[in-house]
């Protein structure tokens, strides 16, 4: 385990990079709210996970809001950026490309089982090269391959005006502003913005805003916030309206979706 800042577009970490003999390495960072690990890439894959706190991971035109019950798999060579939405104990699990638990170039949202969490914690406590490190690494790789993926993703646009709107709404998911209101803020007509939402994101403004609100819901629910308060925090008219939209998107009620926490 090691602690270090990330400041380079391309990381070269001799001594920390995973190898065929040591395919799993772990880097720990305890970060305050609103810290940024600038966009970078590396030859190995990475599981981005926070023991506590909430982080936002951005890769290409997608962004994920990640609470402690979830992690993001970032494939090798993918440029990614990590921002803390609140104070977080970040644990980055580096995985050698030959041992990657997932194939392809797509990021995966992972459900972090209690076992996987404890394995990651245990890996922070071993010394480099110990036999225990190899055993923990093998178990982590096996548990990762069994992790259930969850579709919590917020698409991001390329157009600068639309991207500004999206960034502002991610920061204020409960905002009641209409598309006309946002148009005045970003310097484009509502009609232009509506067309850009459909062209670049494949959905309407309202649909995209729902995605953002549901992504923000995960950290709130995982901390045990009552659903009625979650609904109010995110701008829903009622708890039932929030629960209905959640079930429509994820195929489960919020309580069922997060039942592993209770278990």
């Amino acid at each position: 385990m090691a602690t270090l800042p990330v400041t380079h577009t391309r990381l070269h970490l001799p001594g920390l990079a995973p190898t065929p003999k040591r395919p799993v390495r772990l880097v720990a960072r305890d970060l305050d709210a609103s810290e940024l690990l600038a966009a970078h890439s590396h030859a190995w894959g990475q599981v981005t996970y926070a023991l506590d706190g909430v982080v936002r991971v951005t890769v290409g035109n997608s962004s994920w809001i990640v609470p402690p019950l979830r992690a993001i798999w970032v494939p090798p060579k993918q440029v990614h950026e990590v921002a803390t939405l609140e104070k977080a104990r970040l644990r980055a699990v580096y995985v050698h490309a030959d041992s990657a638990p997932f194939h392809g170039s797509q990021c995966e949202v992972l459900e972090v089982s209690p076992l996987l969490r404890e394995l990651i914690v245990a890996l922070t406590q071993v010394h480099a090269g110990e036999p225990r490190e190899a055993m923990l690494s093998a178990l982590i790789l096996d548990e990762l391959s069994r992790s259930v993926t969850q579709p919590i993703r917020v698409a991001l646009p390329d157009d600068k005006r639309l991207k500004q709107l999206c960034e502002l709404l991610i920061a204020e998911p409960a905002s009641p502003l209409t598309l006309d209101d946002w148009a005045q803020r970003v310097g484009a007509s509502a009609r232009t913005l509506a067309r850009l939402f459909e062209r670049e994101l494949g959905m309407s403004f309202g649909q995209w805003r729902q995605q953002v609100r549901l992504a923000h819901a995960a950290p709130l629910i995982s901390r045990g916030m009552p659903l009625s308060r979650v609904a109010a925090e995110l701008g829903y008219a009622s708890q039932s309206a929030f629960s209905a939209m959640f079930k429509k998107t994820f195929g489960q009620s919020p309580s069922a979706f997060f039942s592993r926490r209770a278990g």
Side-chain angles (χ1 to χ4, degrees), residues 1 121-130 132-134 136:
M1 181 194 69
V121 171
L123 190 60
T124 68
Q125 300 168 351
V126 301
H127 297 291
E130 283 186 0
R132 181 173 171 80
E133 180 190 45
L136 288 171

Side-chain angles (χ1 to χ4, degrees), residues 34 36 79 112 116 121 244:
S34 301
L36 176 69
V79 177
V112 178
L116 180 56
V121 171

